[in-house]
């Protein structure tokens, strides 16, 4: 009975204390409203200044990671074989290739398929774009990077190497040099020729102008031909297709979309669009006489 009567008494006392303390706190809060309103305004700018540099640094760090996707040699942790190992394997031929392929490093053709995560019968999954992108990052694209085009000044320099143009340049320099040379005059004659203008330099300048015109025309023609040739070559490369086995079906894809691990379906008369190993064959015969 004593415990039940003491609890409400204590609660009433605590409630009175709470009412008195709440009224005092309200008065203090009314007086300090301006102080409390100013503190978040003063504290907020430093927080935003600290967070902004962190976001910028993260953006700048992500940019260099996209470069290896173009040339290959990127992250190959998803696979059990590196680009250097495949390159070393493709550099040998014949018996040396078979001996190297059967070592513990490669474990034969089946070992290569297992390391590249490829099913020897079904091929790759055509719907898994992430797998294709990972293979391009690790091993590169099936494209030969084109040589940079020569500049117009470089083409002009190449055009100047013609033997006939070099002879004409020498003749022009000699002609201009002789035009400014004056022979010593005698005591009795040659006084009437002093008033005549010296026009002998025109011949040398005319030769130089002719050489410059020939060089510019030749360089322009070469530049236009190279540009047309590159456009035709790009069109041919885009139109080329090859047969691959993906999803257990033979599919036609552009040559540039081949990735390391694709199973190519080669028949008589087809061109080999990449280096590779024979996984399965039927009545295979090879004639390498055209190579040697």
């Amino acid at each position: 009975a004593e415990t039940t009567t003491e609890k409400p008494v204590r609660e009433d006392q605590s409630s009175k204390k709470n009412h008195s303390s709440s009224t005092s706190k309200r008065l203090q809060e009314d007086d300090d409203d301006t102080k409390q309103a100013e503190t978040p305004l003063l504290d907020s700018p430093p927080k935003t200044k600290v967070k902004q540099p962190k976001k910028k640094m993260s953006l700048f760090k992500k940019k260099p990671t996209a470069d290896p996707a173009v040339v290959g040699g990127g992250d190959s942790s998803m696979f059990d074989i590196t680009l250097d190992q495949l390159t070393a394997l493709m550099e040998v031929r014949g018996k040396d290739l078979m001996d190297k392929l059967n070592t513990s490093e490669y474990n034969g053709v089946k070992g290569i398929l297992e390391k590249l995560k490829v099913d020897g019968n079904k091929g790759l999954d055509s719907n898994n774009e992430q797998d294709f992108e990972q293979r391009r990052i690790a091993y590169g694209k099936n494209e030969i990077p084109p040589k940079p085009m020569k500049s117009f000044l470089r083409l002009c320099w190449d055009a100047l190497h013609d033997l006939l143009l070099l002879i004409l340049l020498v003749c022009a320099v000699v002609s201009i040099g002789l035009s400014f040379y004056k022979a010593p005059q005698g005591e009795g004659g040659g006084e009437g020729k002093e008033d005549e203008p010296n026009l002998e330099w025109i011949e040398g300048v005319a030769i130089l102008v002719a050489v410059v015109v020939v060089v510019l025309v030749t360089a322009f023609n070469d530049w236009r031909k190279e540009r047309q040739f590159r456009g035709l070559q790009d069109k041919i490369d885009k139109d080329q297709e090859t047969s691959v086995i993906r999803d257990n079906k033979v599919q036609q894809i552009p040559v540039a979309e081949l990735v390391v691990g694709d199973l190519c379906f080669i028949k008589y008369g087809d061109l080999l669009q990449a280096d590779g190993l024979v996984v399965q064959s039927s009545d295979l015969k090879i004639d390498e006489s055209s190579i040697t």
Side-chain angles (χ1 to χ4, degrees), residues 89-286:
L89 185 63
M90 292 294 103
E91 289 177 351
V92 293
R93 295 288 186 272
K95 185 180 179 181
D96 296 335
L97 174 61
M98 297 301 299
D99 294 339
K100 192 169 187 177
L101 184 62
N102 293 324
T103 58
S104 59
E105 184 179 1
Y106 300 101
N107 295 325
V109 177
K110 292 183 179 180
I112 296 291
L113 294 175
E114 292 176 358
K115 293 177 184 295
L116 292 175
K117 314 296 182 184
V118 183
D119 189 343
N121 297 321
K122 296 181 180 180
L124 297 177
D125 185 6
S126 58
N127 297 323
N128 193 353
E129 292 294 336
Q130 185 178 1
D131 183 31
F132 292 151
E133 188 65 24
Q134 185 67 29
R135 292 177 188 275
R136 293 189 185 99
I137 293 174
Y139 304 112
K141 296 182 179 180
N142 190 36
E143 295 178 356
I144 299 176
K147 294 181 180 179
M149 288 185 63
K150 293 182 179 180
S151 62
F152 188 76
L153 294 177
R154 178 66 180 176
L155 294 174
C156 292
W157 176 255
D158 293 340
L160 278 173
H161 286 74
D162 186 70
L163 181 60
L164 182 59
L165 294 180
L166 292 177
I167 294 174
L168 290 175
L169 283 175
V170 173
C171 294
V173 172
V174 172
S175 178
I176 294 173
L178 292 176
S179 64
F180 294 102
Y181 174 75
K182 294 182 179 180
Q185 298 179 357
E187 296 178 356
E191 294 179 357
K193 296 182 179 180
E194 292 181 356
D195 298 335
E196 295 180 0
N198 185 10
L199 301 178
E200 297 178 356
W201 56 271
I202 297 178
E203 182 180 355
V205 173
I207 296 174
L208 284 178
V209 171
V211 170
V212 170
V213 171
V214 171
V215 168
L216 292 178
V217 172
T218 304
F220 177 74
N221 288 333
D222 293 341
W223 176 79
R224 186 176 61 179
K225 289 178 182 178
E226 186 174 359
R227 189 176 180 183
Q228 291 176 351
F229 176 76
R230 285 180 179 269
L232 180 62
Q233 187 67 32
D234 293 339
K235 185 178 180 180
I236 293 174
D237 292 340
K238 290 179 180 178
D239 293 339
Q240 282 186 341
E241 292 185 348
T242 185
S243 300
V244 297
I245 299 176
R246 292 180 179 178
D247 302 329
N248 203 15
K249 297 178 182 179
V250 179
Q251 303 178 12
Q252 295 288 332
I253 64 170
V255 175
E257 293 185 5
L258 274 175
V259 296
V260 174
D262 262 324
L263 296 179
C264 297
F265 184 75
I266 307 298
K267 57 183 181 298
Y268 182 79
D270 289 347
L271 295 175
L272 300 178
Q273 304 296 346
D275 292 333
L277 301 171
V278 178
V279 178
Q280 185 179 358
S281 63
S282 176
D283 194 17
L284 175 63
K285 294 180 181 180
I286 300 174

Side-chain angles (χ1 to χ4, degrees), residues 2-40:
E2 291 179 357
T3 54
T4 55
T5 54
E6 288 178 358
K7 284 184 179 180
V9 173
R10 291 178 182 177
E11 288 178 356
D12 293 336
Q13 290 177 356
S14 61
S15 62
K16 291 179 181 180
K17 291 180 181 179
N18 290 332
H19 284 298
S20 60
S21 61
S22 62
T23 53
S24 61
K25 285 182 180 179
R26 287 176 183 175
L27 293 174
Q28 291 177 357
E29 287 176 357
D30 292 335
D31 295 332
D32 299 334
D33 280 341
T34 56
K35 293 181 181 180
Q36 292 178 357
E38 290 176 353
T39 50

